[in-house]
Amino acid sequence: MSAAYPEDGPVEWPGRLMSAEVTEQPAVLRRILQDGEPRIREVAAVIAARKPRFALLAARGTSGHAALYGKYLLEIRRGLPCGLASMSTVTTYGARPDLTGVLFVAVSQWGGSPDLVASTWAAREAGAITVALTNNPDSSLAAVSEFHIDVLAGPERALPATKSYTASLLSLYLFVAALGGGERGDAHDDRPSLAPLPELAEEIVARRDEIRALASRYRFAERMIVTSRGYSYPTAQEAALKLMETCYLPALAFSGADMLHGPLAMVGDTSAVIAVVPDGKGGEALRPVLDRLRSRGADLFVIGTEREVRRASAGFVLPTEGVPERLQPILEILPLHLLTYELSRARGHDPDVPRAMAKTPESR
């Protein structure tokens, strides 16, 4: 695709909805910081006073990747043991574990997934402190939960969830930060790091012509691998999902650590690999993996620092200087949203309505 597409007006064209919703993300981040944070802090304060002993996160698909980010935050920043709920143990097998004093966070765009609603209700009956984090305050999930956090993304009409994903990440970040306690030396106000996020997101979205040129590189790719580590591993998973549902590309996401335990064997000089390389400990841990990928001749596309992009086959430099690693996933996914949109269009597809239609909005 060599020409830009109109963002406004009555003209209908494939991908119009996804394109507009990707572009809205800076405004959504600004709305959460201005209007959503007081409610998030209020909920977190009540929960912190009840001193949960453990946390469980429940979600599927895109929301599941946001929940995984929340898991990293809870474990690293709050020192709270945390797991991902297996909802079928409750909904299919009828298990009723004792969840007294457990923080149960259900993440869902629309909040209508029957198994998520049933699992959350069962958790509440079993003694859990239940929180629904959704883009729909009138949802069934919000109704069965003790607490609800609205991510304020606004209506999302394209089937691939984009703005609700970044909204969920920021809302989870604010929630975990407001819980207090945990990581030594991390009790300071994060406002200086949070305030620039909307402007940095605008800067990234404005570079869509750069992404369009990069997308043409993979127009005829037959499969892709996405890898990262730490806080950015959920970004790799979400990028792989978007490649599959909008471009119909077989895409596999691996932790950098897992790449070295078998999957590296399938990488050769015709393999396209996207590496999300955060500026921080996760990026440092990923460097040996990048060295191995380069040694195998992989076509390595890096999302990250200028240093790592220069060493790759292609890449996109993120404006993350001064942004803590734990906040970088909110920015990392933006060029990948644009990449999947542009690649889908270049391959002749409509990213607004993936042809499989296997995923419904209620399951997001």
Side-chain angles (χ1 to χ4, degrees), residues 67-214:
L68 180 58
Y69 172 69
K71 182 178 186 293
Y72 276 92
L73 289 170
L74 285 163
E75 291 180 343
I76 297 171
R77 299 203 66 200
R78 300 284 75 94
L80 195 64
C82 187
L84 299 175
S86 301
M87 288 178 278
S88 64
T89 62
V90 172
T91 60
T92 301
Y93 295 96
R96 291 296 183 269
D98 181 2
L99 299 181
T100 304
V102 171
L103 171 60
F104 188 96
V105 182
V107 185
S108 173
Q109 180 187 0
W110 289 109
S113 172
D115 60 345
L116 188 56
V117 172
S119 295
T120 304
W121 176 248
R124 187 172 180 179
E125 287 192 316
I129 306 164
T130 53
V131 182
L133 190 140
T134 80
N135 194 33
N136 182 7
D138 298 320
S139 65
S140 300
L141 184 60
V144 302
S145 300
E146 184 177 359
F147 301 99
H148 177 255
I149 293 172
D150 187 349
V151 303
L152 301 177
E156 195 163 42
R157 294 182 293 163
L159 199 59
T162 54
K163 63 179 182 175
S164 63
Y165 177 70
T166 47
S168 296
L169 296 186
L170 180 55
S171 297
L172 282 165
Y173 182 89
L174 293 171
F175 173 69
V176 174
L179 284 176
E183 191 177 18
R184 290 187 181 91
D186 194 35
H188 63 281
D189 187 359
D190 275 335
R191 178 59 56 184
S193 298
L194 290 164
L197 287 179
E199 288 73 24
L200 292 172
E202 286 173 345
E203 178 182 330
I204 292 171
V205 171
R207 293 164 61 191
R208 63 188 309 157
D209 286 346
E210 182 181 341
I211 291 291
R212 184 175 298 120
L214 290 166

Side-chain angles (χ1 to χ4, degrees), residues 3-356:
Y5 292 86
E7 301 298 333
D8 302 303
V11 178
E12 297 285 339
W13 44 272
R16 176 178 58 90
L17 299 177
M18 182 179 179
S19 176
E21 288 168 359
V22 169
T23 304
E24 286 177 40
Q25 291 182 85
V28 172
L29 298 178
R30 188 172 288 110
R31 186 184 309 136
I32 294 168
L33 292 174
Q34 292 177 350
D35 302 331
E37 188 174 6
R39 169 59 179 168
I40 293 173
R41 288 188 175 277
E42 176 186 319
V43 170
V46 175
I47 292 172
R50 291 164 65 173
K51 300 185 185 308
R53 60 184 177 86
F54 188 85
L56 280 174
L57 293 112
R60 296 198 186 281
T62 287
S63 295
H65 304 150
L68 180 58
Y69 172 69
K71 182 178 186 293
Y72 276 92
L73 289 170
L74 285 163
E75 291 180 343
I76 297 171
R77 299 203 66 200
R78 300 284 75 94
L80 195 64
C82 187
L84 299 175
S86 301
M87 288 178 278
S88 64
T89 62
V90 172
T91 60
T92 301
Y93 295 96
R96 291 296 183 269
D98 181 2
L99 299 181
T100 304
V102 171
L103 171 60
F104 188 96
V105 182
V107 185
S108 173
Q109 180 187 0
W110 289 109
S113 172
D115 60 345
L116 188 56
V117 172
S119 295
T120 304
W121 176 248
R124 187 172 180 179
E125 287 192 316
I129 306 164
T130 53
V131 182
L133 190 140
T134 80
N135 194 33
N136 182 7
D138 298 320
S139 65
S140 300
L141 184 60
V144 302
S145 300
E146 184 177 359
F147 301 99
H148 177 255
I149 293 172
D150 187 349
V151 303
L152 301 177
E156 195 163 42
R157 294 182 293 163
L159 199 59
T162 54
K163 63 179 182 175
S164 63
Y165 177 70
T166 47
S168 296
L169 296 186
L170 180 55
S171 297
L172 282 165
Y173 182 89
L174 293 171
F175 173 69
V176 174
L179 284 176
E183 191 177 18
R184 290 187 181 91
D186 194 35
H188 63 281
D189 187 359
D190 275 335
R191 178 59 56 184
S193 298
L194 290 164
L197 287 179
E199 288 73 24
L200 292 172
E202 286 173 345
E203 178 182 330
I204 292 171
V205 171
R207 293 164 61 191
R208 63 188 309 157
D209 286 346
E210 182 181 341
I211 291 291
R212 184 175 298 120
L214 290 166
S216 65
R217 183 184 187 93
Y218 303 104
R219 182 176 180 181
F220 300 106
E222 295 182 357
R223 70 178 183 186
M224 299 191 82
I225 297 169
V226 193
T227 187
S228 193
R229 289 205 67 175
Y231 286 114
S232 299
Y233 177 44
T235 307
Q237 291 199 329
E238 177 60 12
L241 174 61
K242 288 292 177 284
L243 286 166
M244 289 187 283
E245 71 176 345
T246 64
C247 304
Y248 318 137
L249 263 171
L252 300 172
F254 296 103
S255 158
D258 290 335
M259 275 291 293
L260 301 180
H261 293 275
L264 190 67
M266 68 178 173
V267 176
D269 57 9
T270 61
S271 301
V273 180
I274 297 175
V276 183
V277 188
D279 185 8
K281 293 179 180 178
E284 293 169 8
L286 195 61
R287 281 176 189 152
V289 183
L290 300 177
D291 290 339
R292 293 288 297 276
L293 290 168
R294 281 188 288 262
S295 72
R296 297 183 68 86
D299 183 327
L300 184 60
F301 181 108
V302 165
I303 303 286
T305 64
E306 183 176 2
R307 175 184 181 274
E308 293 300 336
V309 169
R310 282 202 309 265
R311 300 182 67 200
S313 307
F316 184 94
V317 178
L318 282 172
T320 52
E321 184 177 354
V323 179
E325 182 182 356
R326 58 185 178 265
L327 279 170
Q328 290 176 33
I330 298 169
L331 301 175
E332 291 164 351
I333 193 61
L334 297 176
L336 290 163
H337 281 160
L338 289 169
L339 178 70
T340 55
Y341 164 80
E342 297 290 354
L343 187 55
S344 176
R345 293 288 294 120
R347 291 164 72 95
H349 306 311
D350 181 355
D352 285 347
V353 187
R355 64 187 177 199

